[in-house]
Structure formats: C-alpha cells, structure tokens
Amino acid sequence: MKNSSLLLLIITLITACGGSDSDSNAQQDPVTDTPTTPTPPSPISVCELGSSTINWDALLTENCDDLAQYGLFIDPSTPTSSPVSPGILYQLSTQLFTNYANKHRFVFIPEGEQASFHPSEAFDFPIGTVLAKTFSMPYDTQVIGAENEVLIETRLLIRRATGWTTLPYLWQDGKATLIQAGADIPHSLNHQGKTESFDYHVPSRAECKLCHQLNRDGNSTISPIGLKAHLLNHDINYQGQIINQLTLWQELSMLTGLPNTDDIASGAAKEITHAPNLFDTDADLTLRVKGYLDINCAHCHRAEGFASISGLRLGFNIDHTSYQYGICKQPPGWDGGAKGLSYDIVPGDGEHSILAYRQELSEPKDRMPPLGRSLTHTEAVAIIKNWIDTLPPSLGNCQW
C-alpha cells in the first residue's frame, strides 16, 4: 500500500511539472480542455528591414508607413538633396503651380533598366522606377534657401508590376508619414509685400489619381505628368557641368530611344520640342504659355483625362489657334461665373476669356486647376491674359 501511494505521488508530481511524451510547447484550450498549437509570430514586414541601400523589395510590394523605410535619401530627414544611388535630381523647364511651393524632384530607375523616349507623351519607365517629389513652402517667396522653408509633403509615384501607385507622405517633426485621406496644413507667407494665409491641401491617394489617371480603351491607368520630352529638354547643372538634361540621361544609360542630339543649339536638342519657362522673357510668348498650360492643365484637359468631357485640349503640341484649344469654344456645364463669360478663349480679349478667369477664382466649383492650389498665381494669369490679347480676333467667331 505504501509503495502504491508513493508511486501515485511521483506520477502526480511529474504531471504537474509538465512532463509528458507530447510537444513541450503544446498549450491547453481553457474552454475545450484540448491541446492547442501556439500561433507562430507574424513575419517581419519588408518595410522593417533596414539597409544601407534602397529598399527595392518594399518599394515593389508594400506601402510603408514611414517614408524613411524606403531608404531613398542619405539623410531621411532631408528629402530635398542627396538621393541614394541610382537616384538623380531632375528639373522641369516650367512649373506646375502649387501655392508658390518649392519642389524637389528625383527619379530612381533600377540599375540596368532604362526609360523609353517618347516625343510627346510621358516617357515609359520600367518596373521599379520611383518618382519622388517633395514640396516645401517658403515663408517669403522672394527669399531662397532651406532656412526660409518648411517641409510639407513628399509624394511618391512607384511603378510596380500592377502599374503606377501613388503614395502621399506628410512631414511632421522631421518625419514623413503615409496619409490616406489627405490633410489641410495652415500656412502663411509673404508674397511681394502681401501676407497670404491659407490652408495648404495635401491630397489623398484618391485625389492623386484624379490628376494622374488616364482612360484608354476602357481601362483606367495611372501615369506620370511632367516627365515629357518638351519639359525635360533643357540645360541643367550636373556636378558643376552644364549639360542638356536628356543628353545626360542618355549618357547615364537612364534613357533609350533618344533622337540624335549632336546638333545642339542653346543647350536644347533641335530635333525635340522645348517648352520654355513661363517667365523667360527671351523666349517666344506662345511657347511659354503653352508649356505652362501643358504642365498645369493638359493632364486633365485631354481625350483620356479627367476633364475629357469638356472638349478642351491643352497639350503642348495641340494647335493653339484651333477650336479644341479653346478658341471661341463654350465649355459645357459651367455658368460663366460672376462675369458671365461664355468662351474659353476670346482672341484679342484675355479679360473675357474663361481660360484665364477660372485660374483667378477660388471657389471649388469654379477654381482651375480644381486641385493643388489655394492661391492665385497672379503673375501667370497676367501673362496668359497678355498672350490672349495678342491673338488676332480673326481666329474665331465669338458671338456675344
């Protein structure tokens, strides 16, 4: 009896201490009292894998919460300079206006890959390409330098296997965080002696698509806006050397299909169109205005764009004396505003042309472009009106 009691005590102690023939990691379900298998730890996101190089895996597969997780810049808190190789700064010859923001643009093309040249449309970029554009707002539009700016947002456009993806990041306390729904950031600046206070709007991902979306053959796709030949075909300073930007891309094996650029005049390839800066008074006025309207308006005002139903076509290569460019053309679905205007462009009369007027208006139903600005680009509107004034009235028959 004593031996039996001793044996029973030993068995009880072994059981209480967890001794058994089964897996030592097995757990007991408190409800059913049956063994369960513990849940394995979640796999680490590729966004969390730190690296001294660009995190290409994350760029191709995940929308990282923190911009720094992609490793695009040597100093993650300074997205305005020093991109990690093979990233390179690129510059447009004329700018899309965003409340006088300064913009810092970089393109990252994977090693061994190239963009394909197109004479009029945005270049075709390989899978893995990243376009990074950082917006910084000045406190005074007449002062240049980082100390006069505050970082607001960085937008990424990433070419993945499924197409282009838009990712907007908001800067706060030296860190850029992905936002889905957009944000309004109060800001004040001095512009030519006048204080402007407004809300800078950081777009949501859905709003990004409105501008970058093209509809072709029943399919909706996202596409870059500014990376076109006529906006890239100009001289830049690259590591102390003045060189045509397209020629540089070719020399760096970033671009294929570029026409012969041996014949260079004033740094611009003669065989390729060139959109001069709107404020370059030495350049042709018509080309200056058309370049500005192309970068600010043509991504929507084209057959495949968001504003296709308007019938207005403002691409750089569209004939500016034509009805489709707005000559004596009446826009559908707009009431003419307080001025009661009727035509997009009235040749010889910029003051009564809707094309210029709607760039002055601020109400959401009237404002053009509808996204991206809270302030009026007064200097640009004045130049556009002046250009319309130079157009001969004989171009069209605007009935009053």
Side-chain angles (χ1 to χ4, degrees), residues 164-212:
W164 289 98
T165 294
T166 60
L167 297 178
Y169 288 82
L170 176 65
W171 282 93
Q172 290 180 313
D173 301 321
K175 180 180 178 181
T177 304
L178 179 65
I179 59 172
Q180 299 286 343
D184 291 317
I185 310 300
H187 185 74
S188 293
L189 57 79
N190 174 61
H191 180 61
Q192 298 181 350
K194 180 182 178 181
T195 299
E196 301 277 8
S197 297
F198 60 98
D199 284 341
Y200 178 103
H201 183 67
V202 179
S204 66
R205 294 188 67 192
E207 288 173 324
C208 289
K209 291 180 180 179
L210 291 180
C211 291
H212 286 275

Side-chain angles (χ1 to χ4, degrees), residues 312 325-326 328-331 342-346 353-356 388:
L312 185 63
Y325 204 83
C328 293
K329 179 189 172 303
Q330 293 181 294
S342 299
Y343 301 100
D344 288 330
I345 296 178
V346 180
S353 295
I354 292 172
L355 182 69
I388 295 175

Side-chain angles (χ1 to χ4, degrees), residues 223-234:
S223 176
I225 291 173
L227 288 113
K228 301 175 182 177
H230 55 269
L231 296 169
L232 296 171
N233 181 26
H234 60 101

Side-chain angles (χ1 to χ4, degrees), residues 60-304:
L60 286 169
T61 60
E62 293 200 32
N63 302 336
C64 296
D65 292 330
D66 186 348
L67 177 64
Q69 292 174 313
Y70 288 128
L72 297 173
F73 297 93
I74 293 175
D75 181 353
S77 66
T78 309
T80 58
S81 63
S82 303
V84 174
S85 180
I88 185 174
L89 175 76
Y90 73 93
Q91 301 172 33
L92 304 184
S93 57
T94 195
Q95 303 297 316
L96 194 162
F97 177 73
T98 311
N99 301 317
Y100 298 102
N102 294 317
K103 301 177 183 180
H104 311 269
R105 299 174 173 87
F106 298 87
V107 56
F108 302 79
I109 299 177
E111 295 283 2
E113 301 289 344
Q114 293 178 298
S116 297
F117 176 86
H118 193 284
S120 58
E121 296 289 349
F123 296 167
D124 184 24
F125 288 88
I127 292 174
T129 297
V130 182
L131 307 178
K133 180 167 64 171
T134 294
F135 297 68
S136 56
M137 285 303 305
Y139 296 109
D140 189 323
T141 60
Q142 305 301 114
V143 179
I144 299 175
E147 65 281 356
N148 179 58
E149 300 176 356
V150 58
L151 292 176
I152 298 290
E153 60 166 322
T154 295
R155 302 178 192 175
L156 297 186
L157 202 57
I158 307 171
R159 178 71 187 274
R160 292 175 173 167
T162 54
W164 289 98
T165 294
T166 60
L167 297 178
Y169 288 82
L170 176 65
W171 282 93
Q172 290 180 313
D173 301 321
K175 180 180 178 181
T177 304
L178 179 65
I179 59 172
Q180 299 286 343
D184 291 317
I185 310 300
H187 185 74
S188 293
L189 57 79
N190 174 61
H191 180 61
Q192 298 181 350
K194 180 182 178 181
T195 299
E196 301 277 8
S197 297
F198 60 98
D199 284 341
Y200 178 103
H201 183 67
V202 179
S204 66
R205 294 188 67 192
E207 288 173 324
C208 289
K209 291 180 180 179
L210 291 180
C211 291
H212 286 275
Q213 183 172 282
L214 296 178
N215 297 299
R216 292 177 173 138
D217 301 323
N219 296 317
S220 178
T221 59
I222 302 298
S223 176
I225 291 173
L227 288 113
K228 301 175 182 177
H230 55 269
L231 296 169
L232 296 171
N233 181 26
H234 60 101
D235 281 0
I236 62 170
N237 186 325
Y238 177 72
Q239 299 181 352
Q241 175 190 6
I242 302 301
I243 185 172
N244 179 273
Q245 187 166 218
L246 293 179
T247 302
L248 172 66
W249 283 27
Q250 180 177 251
E251 291 182 356
L252 295 177
S253 297
M254 294 172 53
L255 182 65
T256 184
L258 185 67
N260 182 9
T261 56
D262 291 337
D263 188 8
I264 301 294
S266 301
K270 277 189 173 181
E271 296 181 20
I272 305 170
T273 54
H274 165 64
N277 189 288
L278 180 66
F279 302 104
D280 181 2
T281 55
D282 292 329
D284 178 80
L285 176 60
T286 294
L287 294 179
R288 289 158 55 194
V289 170
K290 291 188 70 175
Y292 181 86
L293 294 176
D294 179 275
I295 187 62
N296 282 272
C297 312
H299 47 276
C300 284
H301 286 284
R302 57 179 292 166
E304 306 88 351

